[in-house]
Amino acid sequence: MASITKSHDQLHVFFFPFMSPGHQIPMIEIASILASHGVKATVISTPQNVSRFEGTINRDDQQLINLLLFDFPSAAANLPLNCENLDTIPSRNLSYNFSKAIMMLQSQADDFVRQYQPDAIISDLNIPWTAEIAQKYGIPRLVFHGTCCFSLSLSMAASLHKPNVQVNSDKEPFLVPGLPEPVYITLAQMPDRFFGNTGLEEFFQKFIEAERHTHGAVANTFFEIEPEYVKHYEKVTGKPVYPVGPVSLFNAKSIDVADRGNKPSVDKDRCISWLDSRKPNSVLYVCFGSICESAESQLLEIALGLESSKASFIWVIRDHRHGSGEFLQKDFEERVKDRGLIIKGWAPQVLILNHPAVGGFMTHCGWNSVLESVSAGIPMITWPLFAEQFYNENFVLNHLKIGVAIGVETGLAWGEEEKNGVLINRDRVAKVVTQFMNGNDEVEGMRKRVRQFSETGKMAVGQSGSSYINIGLLIDDLLNQKEKRLSE
């Protein structure tokens, strides 16, 4: 592990998290990890976003995390006031405006880098202009993708070899060549479908260009869960990859776990008390992420399927259209009150997953959720919605073998979820949940495997573990880059 003891040798790293929960949360934790190893970490964000995580970093006065605030250009981008995070935009039709606002932050960021002279930048891939700034000031830029090396490798292979061009059916599986093992996907599962006609193509092109001027990648994964794909992604990019996760295991303080990402919409003690009253492995946790807006008809089918299953459950209804739960039948909550807890808003997910009463996770397969489930030793019911989530599902089902599929075959188009209507009916929900939660030899095998991965993940972040070592290698790399720059 790198040791930084002299102030003039101290490494100063700027962090640029993308303003979306699934990207922001792990980036802040990576900043905290590096800060705990003596790195001076500066997080650049906006007032509304900082309010979500400032309490956590302020609770540990040993950390060296500084905050710099952007003046977010809401008006100039034709966004509502205080609309500074992807989960706060009132309509997906404003996604172009949000991306435009992100691009307009470049000049402020340039001023910050010129004034504070950091030694390196770690940036979300959705903020491509950080590559230009890093080039301008002669410092390395590392990218944070927010997903696993399997999905990154699959995306690159599909883009390079274009095996989909000869496929006529949306649901016909085809082999993606150039990977360490045979991987099959369908057209309907490819991420492009999600973005539809949002006009974001120009921004995606900037992401690709930024990759050419990037020193390497920092990943929220751990080597042991996907060794062949970490190596493969390094090989195809020709750049170093530093797996430093699972970052959710870094801070085990219960108050920080409860507040992780945002203030929870349910009292932590009430939630724990409810779980304490349940038998081990008897509760299904249901959550589809922070930016999903499923059709009301689909949410109603989920509700009735959960009711019919007779399983105990915690269901998080998070998005701003359905957070009130008005789509539910009036007496639904009364009917399931003895075995169902409905959280309308933000939930303390890591806290819930690590409770002994939780025995399964119905998830949209966002990588954070997958890795948090693995870290807690919880098998999954996979229900991918968009972006690379079908790739993550593929990894969970076919590579790790720690989940069962709900059976959804096609992704949603952002902002057009109502058009999809019901993809999975209540009978299918009830059948999968009942079989999964009642357990059988197959499910018990998944439970055993995921617990082994959980133990391996905990070892990875512990002293002398692979992720702990990679943190040191990352720091050494950036110190070497600094020393080389100063000697020129």
Side-chain angles (χ1 to χ4, degrees), residues 421-437:
V422 175
L423 298 176
I424 302 294
N425 64 31
R426 69 191 72 176
D427 293 336
R428 175 65 180 172
V429 172
K431 180 180 179 181
V432 173
V433 170
T434 299
Q435 291 178 347
F436 186 82
M437 294 307 293

Side-chain angles (χ1 to χ4, degrees), residues 29 65 76 120 159 162 186 199 244 251 296 321 324 360 390 403 429 449:
E29 288 172 328
I65 293 186
S159 176
K162 295 180 171 51
T186 69
V244 298
N251 197 339
E296 289 194 1
R321 279 197 303 144
S324 63
F390 281 92
V429 172
R449 282 190 292 276

Side-chain angles (χ1 to χ4, degrees), residues 28-48:
I28 299 304
E29 288 172 328
I30 291 170
S32 296
I33 292 169
L34 291 190
S36 73
H37 289 276
V39 174
K40 181 180 179 182
T42 297
V43 174
I44 298 90
S45 193
T46 73
Q48 294 295 318

Side-chain angles (χ1 to χ4, degrees), residues 84-95:
E84 300 176 6
N85 193 291
L86 200 61
D87 69 354
T88 62
I89 62 174
S91 167
R92 295 306 176 230
N93 295 327
L94 291 173
S95 57

Side-chain angles (χ1 to χ4, degrees), residues 137-438:
Y137 292 99
I139 58 177
R141 180 240 197 196
L142 290 99
V143 67
F144 173 75
H145 286 281
T147 192
C148 58
C149 289
F150 170 88
S151 293
L152 291 171
S153 298
L154 178 51
S155 293
M156 286 195 69
S159 176
L160 177 65
H161 298 286
K162 295 180 171 51
N164 53 300
V165 296
Q166 302 298 326
V167 179
N168 297 317
S169 168
D170 271 5
K171 297 179 182 177
E172 176 189 344
F174 57 86
L175 177 68
V176 180
L179 293 168
E181 61 184 347
V183 177
Y184 291 83
I185 60 173
T186 69
L187 286 175
Q189 296 171 343
M190 296 186 78
D192 291 353
R193 183 185 187 92
F194 167 52
F195 298 104
N197 298 315
T198 51
L200 297 175
E201 293 80 7
E202 63 179 287
F203 299 113
F204 298 153
Q205 191 58 44
K206 292 180 185 297
F207 302 163
I208 295 170
E209 180 63 28
E211 287 284 316
R212 298 192 184 103
H213 304 290
T214 293
H215 176 72
V218 180
N220 180 22
T221 186
F222 58 104
F223 182 78
E224 291 81 0
I225 202 173
E226 49 172 348
E228 56 274 80
Y229 288 100
V230 173
K231 293 176 184 176
H232 180 77
Y233 190 63
E234 278 195 320
K235 181 180 178 181
V236 296
T237 61
K239 297 172 181 179
V241 176
Y242 296 100
V244 298
V247 296
S248 63
L249 295 177
F250 172 66
N251 197 339
K253 295 177 183 177
S254 62
I255 186 170
D256 290 342
V257 172
D259 287 350
R260 186 170 180 263
N262 210 339
K263 298 298 180 185
S265 302
V266 64
D267 180 73
K268 173 176 72 81
D269 294 333
R270 180 194 169 215
C271 190
I272 295 300
S273 176
W274 188 90
L275 285 165
D276 286 344
S277 69
R278 311 288 146 174
K279 294 179 181 179
N281 297 325
S282 67
V283 176
L284 177 69
Y285 176 62
V286 182
C287 182
F288 297 104
S290 55
I291 62 171
C292 159
E293 295 198 351
S294 298
E296 289 194 1
S297 55
Q298 180 63 81
L299 292 173
L300 184 58
E301 292 297 306
I302 294 171
L304 297 177
L306 289 172
E307 180 181 13
S308 181
S309 74
K310 306 301 182 186
S312 294
F313 63 89
I314 293 179
W315 183 14
V316 183
I317 303 172
R318 230 179 234 179
D319 68 76
H320 45 272
R321 279 197 303 144
H322 305 309
S324 63
E326 291 178 358
F327 67 92
L328 294 171
Q329 296 173 350
K330 289 184 178 179
D331 61 344
F332 173 76
E333 290 187 66
E334 180 65 24
R335 297 200 307 262
V336 300
K337 67 178 182 180
D338 292 333
R339 58 184 178 85
L341 176 62
I342 297 174
I343 300 175
K344 298 169 184 175
W346 189 269
Q349 180 161 294
V350 171
L351 198 69
I352 291 170
L353 287 173
N354 281 277
H355 194 284
V358 176
F361 182 9
M362 182 183 288
T363 173
H364 67 307
C365 296
W367 181 242
N368 287 335
S369 289
V370 169
L371 199 56
E372 287 160 13
S373 197
V374 169
S375 300
I378 303 297
M380 287 161 266
I381 298 175
T382 59
W383 191 325
L385 302 172
F386 48 69
E388 90 294 350
Q389 292 165 11
F390 281 92
Y391 294 179
N392 295 340
E393 178 193 47
N394 194 309
F395 185 60
V396 168
L397 300 180
N398 302 319
H399 188 83
L400 301 181
K401 296 178 169 51
I402 55 172
V404 299
I406 196 70
V408 64
E409 296 181 307
T410 185
L412 302 177
W414 203 11
E416 299 179 4
E417 293 87 352
E418 287 294 340
K419 292 182 181 179
N420 288 86
V422 175
L423 298 176
I424 302 294
N425 64 31
R426 69 191 72 176
D427 293 336
R428 175 65 180 172
V429 172
K431 180 180 179 181
V432 173
V433 170
T434 299
Q435 291 178 347
F436 186 82
M437 294 307 293
N438 285 348

Side-chain angles (χ1 to χ4, degrees), residues 71-89:
D71 179 15
F72 196 76
S74 300
N78 293 316
L79 286 169
L81 188 64
N82 297 329
C83 182
E84 300 176 6
N85 193 291
L86 200 61
D87 69 354
T88 62
I89 62 174

